[in-house]
Amino acid sequence: MNLAIIYELRAADVKEEDIELIMDRVKNRLSEENIDKELVKLGYPKIFTVDYSEYDNYDYNDNYSSNSKGNFNDLD
């Protein structure tokens, strides 16, 4: 078993019995994506991968402005 994966699962508060179940299910196809699929099946959030399609509504502040006075030429 990959100890780093188990460490990350424990750090994310995944139950020990669920960790054993997940590792048993993915033992022949061990990948971050497969572990996350098993986590989701058991009701946990993804830990190892990010689904960027969930971030369709970016909240950018297009009106951002700096309040600093002067510019980089003033450093001389």
Side-chain angles (χ1 to χ4, degrees), residues 24-38:
D24 187 52
R25 287 181 178 173
V26 300
K27 64 183 172 190
N28 294 327
R29 52 187 180 86
L30 187 62
S31 72
E32 293 172 341
E33 292 84 12
N34 288 337
I35 293 171
D36 276 348
K37 286 178 187 176
E38 295 299 328

Side-chain angles (χ1 to χ4, degrees), residues 15-64:
K15 296 178 186 176
E16 286 295 321
E17 57 267 14
D18 291 338
I19 292 173
E20 290 177 22
L21 179 63
I22 290 167
M23 295 307 288
D24 187 52
R25 287 181 178 173
V26 300
K27 64 183 172 190
N28 294 327
R29 52 187 180 86
L30 187 62
S31 72
E32 293 172 341
E33 292 84 12
N34 288 337
I35 293 171
D36 276 348
K37 286 178 187 176
E38 295 299 328
L39 282 167
V40 170
K41 287 179 186 176
L42 294 172
Y44 293 99
K46 293 180 180 181
I47 297 173
F48 299 101
T49 60
V50 176
D51 186 5
Y52 291 105
S53 64
E54 293 177 4
Y55 295 99
D56 287 341
N57 297 324
Y58 293 104
D59 189 20
Y60 289 118
N61 184 357
D62 292 334
N63 296 323
Y64 177 79

Side-chain angles (χ1 to χ4, degrees), residues 3-17:
L3 294 178
I5 292 172
I6 293 172
Y7 175 80
E8 291 295 327
L9 291 170
R10 286 179 179 157
D13 294 325
V14 176
K15 296 178 186 176
E16 286 295 321
E17 57 267 14

